[in-house]
Amino acid sequence: MNTLDAGTPFPQIQMNTVGGGTRTLGKAHNGHEWQLVVVYRGLHCPICKRYLSQLQEMASAFYDQKVEVIVVSADPLEKAQKMVEEQALELPVAYDLSPEQMAQLGLYISDPRSPQETDRPFAEPGTFVVNGAGNLQIAFCAARSGCAAARYHLCARKGLSRARHPRPPLIGGWLPSDRQG
């Protein structure tokens, strides 16, 4: 598994965004000096919806510090658009993060538990702060702990109560390297 260390270059990954256009993960845009990259599980995740809504409310505080905020998931365009609409997001929302790109970011990957959940592998949550030099400053990735509720501190209280559930689902069960011949 690829791991990203603080102070090392963050992978620059070009992504399509809802509403058209592209953004590069790891490279701040529009006069911002740093970039906050938040990877969420997808439209199927109710905790992600609350987290992104809270992040939207806090976005101006990041922008005031010249930190761009971008969120990304493995969801296809249609589901990413629905997330934007349901949560009234104005943040740039990127979509179609592939398992190979997830691996570049050192993220854990889960398979859907049912077709109703989603139709593709998805990343477990990750939060990255990339500095002006393009290097990783801060990283938080949900580990193979079996706790889908782990998030960078915005939802720590809710995440802890979910992790204490008597039978939380096992998640983050494979990495791309686990499935290669």
Side-chain angles (χ1 to χ4, degrees), residues 160-181:
L160 183 59
S161 66
R162 171 120 178 173
R164 292 173 46 101
H165 186 277
R167 296 184 59 178
L170 293 177
I171 56 166
W174 65 276
L175 301 169
S177 60
D178 295 341
R179 300 235 172 138
Q180 294 174 356

Side-chain angles (χ1 to χ4, degrees), residues 54-132:
Q54 290 176 340
L55 183 61
Q56 178 64 58
E57 291 174 16
M58 299 173 64
S60 63
F62 289 106
Y63 298 151
D64 289 347
Q65 297 176 56
K66 297 193 179 276
V67 177
E68 175 190 27
V69 179
I70 184 166
V71 301
V72 60
S73 76
D75 279 347
L77 174 59
E78 300 75 27
K79 288 185 176 185
Q81 283 176 318
K82 191 169 181 179
M83 179 67 90
V84 167
E85 292 164 8
E86 286 183 6
Q87 301 308 308
L89 297 178
E90 296 175 11
L91 302 166
V93 177
Y95 58 92
D96 277 338
L97 188 68
S98 71
E100 293 76 23
Q101 292 165 327
M102 294 172 205
Q104 274 186 280
L105 298 176
L107 296 165
Y108 290 97
I109 302 169
S110 289
D111 284 320
R113 291 180 286 174
S114 72
Q116 292 74 30
E117 183 176 56
T118 187
D119 63 349
R120 60 187 66 198
F122 56 89
E124 291 303 328
T127 303
F128 306 95
V129 177
V130 182
N131 66 27

Side-chain angles (χ1 to χ4, degrees), residues 150-168:
R151 303 284 185 287
Y152 189 67
H153 87 295
L154 297 179
C155 291
R157 186 171 44 105
K158 296 239 183 236
L160 183 59
S161 66
R162 171 120 178 173
R164 292 173 46 101
H165 186 277
R167 296 184 59 178

